[in-house]
Amino acid sequence: MSRTPYIAGNWKMHLTKRKASSLARDVAEFQGENPACKVAVFPTFLHLDYVRRNLKGSNVILGAQNCYGKKEGAYTGEISPYMLRDMGVKVVLIGHSERRHIFGETDTMMSDKVKITLRAKLDVMLCVGETLEERESGKTFAVLARQLRALKVVKTSQAERVSVAYEPVWAIGTGKTATPAMAQEAHAECRRLLGDILGAQAAATIPILYGGSVKAGNAAELLSQTDVDGALVGGASLSIHDFGPIIDAATA
Ligand code: PEP
């Protein structure tokens, strides 16, 4: 089963409105030359509208880095997926390790976010991955199984709007990357677990992206693995000089 390569840039808490707008134009132009690759960018909430305007006319997908697991209400400081849809957002990143580990977000919260985001007719990119301690104590697969359980709320008709990003926590922003074999092993396990949760058809079609210090120099080898369908890129997504070659590697 061939899956469309998917490259996503997580801009985290970086850039100004001017720089985010300019980077959006660069990504739009680059993607135009690589139409075979699905490309998404995740700016801060504050920059969404600037980025949306600068992506206009392109196929680059506008994503948000987070959302709250409720439609509306007295939740000061939070943002609902319905508000994100209203702003032109198409996909929401859920469960990024920085949300889990810095902000203490739980698996129950992830499951609420998945449910409401899909109900708001947006796509979900669920991030999963083990810490170094969990890997070293042989718990990687158990962590993946626990975190992927957030997808139990997905209905069969919604599965085509789901993607998964496997991001070993120890590889995010550290310069340490999983070896291609380590990535493949974890991706294959994620796909097997997706089969248990959502069925064989969904497991075969859901894109699983790798994230963790992906750069121009290591992208091709990671992306050549059978179950690695794309990359979620942090640091190297902040300039087209670094991000462009990763898009190229996905379509080579
Ligand atoms: C990320 O933020 O999801 C990420 C993988 O970051 P980096 O590429 O900088 O490791």
Side-chain angles (χ1 to χ4, degrees):
M1 169 85 54
S2 78
R3 293 170 291 267
T4 305
Y6 193 171
I7 302 295
N10 175 13
W11 296 354
K12 308 196 188 193
M13 199 174 72
H14 291 296
L15 306 173
T16 58
K17 67 182 184 206
R18 192 179 57 78
K19 286 184 180 160
S21 301
S22 150
L23 180 56
R25 286 194 297 278
D26 289 344
V27 176
E29 192 179 325
F30 207 94
Q31 200 270 340
E33 291 159 19
N34 293 265
C37 185
K38 205 168 154 182
V39 176
V41 292
F42 295 84
T44 68
F45 290 137
L46 218 47
H47 296 149
L48 281 172
D49 198 46
Y50 295 96
V51 172
R52 181 188 62 76
R53 280 185 255 157
N54 284 281
L55 292 178
K56 219 170 194 153
S58 80
N59 288 325
V60 177
I61 301 159
L62 182 62
Q65 297 175 15
N66 186 27
C67 70
Y68 193 57
K70 299 275 185 206
K71 184 173 181 182
E72 61 183 341
Y75 303 106
T76 303
E78 292 298 327
I79 299 200
S80 141
Y82 287 83
M83 293 168 176
L84 295 173
R85 187 180 68 186
D86 191 38
M87 294 301 288
V89 166
K90 303 288 184 214
V91 55
V92 183
L93 208 56
I94 292 177
H96 189 279
S97 78
E98 287 148 16
R99 301 300 319 170
R100 295 178 191 268
H101 297 286
I102 302 174
F103 301 101
E105 295 193 357
T106 62
D107 289 311
T108 311
M109 290 168 81
M110 302 319 159
S111 154
D112 290 346
K113 290 178 193 218
V114 169
K115 196 192 235 169
I116 192 90
T117 299
L118 291 171
R119 200 177 289 161
K121 301 271 179 278
L122 297 180
D123 293 1
V124 159
M125 185 178 288
L126 179 73
C127 303
V128 297
E130 79 289 356
T131 62
L132 187 58
E133 196 189 345
E134 287 163 341
R135 172 161 284 269
E136 285 176 346
S137 54
K139 294 190 185 133
T140 298
F141 285 9
V143 170
L144 298 179
R146 195 192 73 232
Q147 294 179 340
L148 283 171
R149 247 179 254 144
L151 296 178
K152 279 201 159 160
V153 296
V154 177
K155 299 185 179 127
T156 312
S157 61
Q158 297 172 324
E160 62 183 25
R161 289 193 281 120
V162 172
S163 58
V164 169
Y166 167 65
E167 301 202 296
V169 180
W170 48 271
I172 299 180
T174 57
K176 288 184 199 152
T177 320
T179 63
M182 280 158 94
Q184 170 54 29
E185 185 189 39
H187 281 229
E189 178 63 6
C190 287
R191 207 173 293 290
R192 193 189 69 72
L193 290 162
L194 287 173
D196 289 349
I197 300 167
L198 295 170
Q201 166 75 11
T205 50
I206 286 179
I208 307 178
L209 287 68
Y210 170 79
S213 299
V214 175
K215 302 180 202 63
N218 59 22
E221 216 188 338
L222 287 160
L223 290 163
S224 70
Q225 303 301 304
T226 316
D227 287 294
V228 179
D229 306 315
L232 176 56
V233 186
S237 71
L238 293 172
S239 92
I240 200 64
H241 175 76
D242 296 323
F243 194 53
I246 300 174
I247 298 175
D248 277 342
T251 44

